Amino acid sequence: MTEYRPRPPRRGLTALLRNRSVQLAATGWLGCNVVVLTVAGDELPFAWPAAATQTPASRLLDANLALAEVLLLTALTFWITRKRTLPDLAARAPERSVAARETLLLLLYGAGALGLGFLLGRLAGWHPFGLHLAGSIYGTHEHVSPAESIAWAAYNLLVYAVIPLLFFRRRYSAEALNLRSSNRQADTVLIGAVLLIESLVQVAALDPRIFELTPRQFALGVPLTFTLYLAGAVLPAMIFIYAILVPRFLRLTRSPATTVILGGLTYTALHIWDAWTVFTSPGNITLSIVFLLLTYFAPGMFKTVLTVRTGNAWVHVWGYHALVPHTLIDAPHMVHVFRLK
């Protein structure tokens, strides 16, 4: 690997706001708000049992509040990590020409995996395989079988985690792939702070039905949910985006801010087959893409922030993905799917 020499950083909020990618992202977010207000009308076309009574304006408000929370969590992350020696993630990637080739090939591979997941899901009579199982977070009125749940988790684990990891691990060390902590104590403190705050916010905002489960349903459903979503959503995102792509984004852009934005966009793209999306008309397609961005762009960015600030892709797994939201929110869904009494 050639020596990486980052550009001297301009510090402060002013420098961040002058960043072209930040300006484009902010403009895009405002544009999404405008689209919802002008296109949605009185109701959204999505089947969201968990948000069935909400108007487009209230859903838009929720999305903006979620963004505000992510920005506050980002500020907290910077404060907690302010005294750490930050890792040089860009130096963990190969030289720019190799990084560009690997990034392009991996993105094309991811697009192909989404296409194959669509075909396999439909051929089996199921929902397309995306990063979320049908019914995740928002719930669903449609039937989801145990077989579909297991196949979804197995497909995503194999395609987005196992195969890329086997390929890149032959060429790069665990440290180069952000799989090893350089400061376990500091990482643990950050995980605990993020997990606590996000858990309190999710409980207050979403009133999760996990607390309505019987003791037996809780004892069976929680570890089942944790295992399935770890395999089907958490590890695939961790390996594909935060272990492999993020260092290469940073090498290519030389900008942590741009890297964070690209991480958010990639995370959003992997959710394109969420079961609630509707692609039956230009208006519905537009609203589906807009709400994919409003739902996943900010969390994807924050996961990237955690990785860039710690050099450890596992931090977001335990602090902001596996336990909250998925185990907390989706355990009742898995109890229903597997008919746990």
Side-chain angles (χ1 to χ4, degrees), residues 226-241:
F226 173 81
T227 301
L228 277 178
Y229 277 87
L230 184 69
V234 179
L235 292 179
M238 171 197 166
I239 298 299
F240 190 80
I241 303 174

Side-chain angles (χ1 to χ4, degrees), residues 165-197:
L165 183 60
L166 288 176
F167 181 84
F168 281 90
R169 190 65 180 86
R170 294 172 56 191
R171 294 162 173 78
Y172 302 99
S173 67
E175 181 182 43
L177 294 175
N178 299 333
L179 298 176
R180 180 177 296 161
S181 174
S182 61
N183 191 331
R184 292 185 180 181
Q185 182 177 359
D187 286 350
T188 300
V189 170
L190 180 58
I191 290 169
V194 171
L195 180 61
L196 175 61
I197 293 172

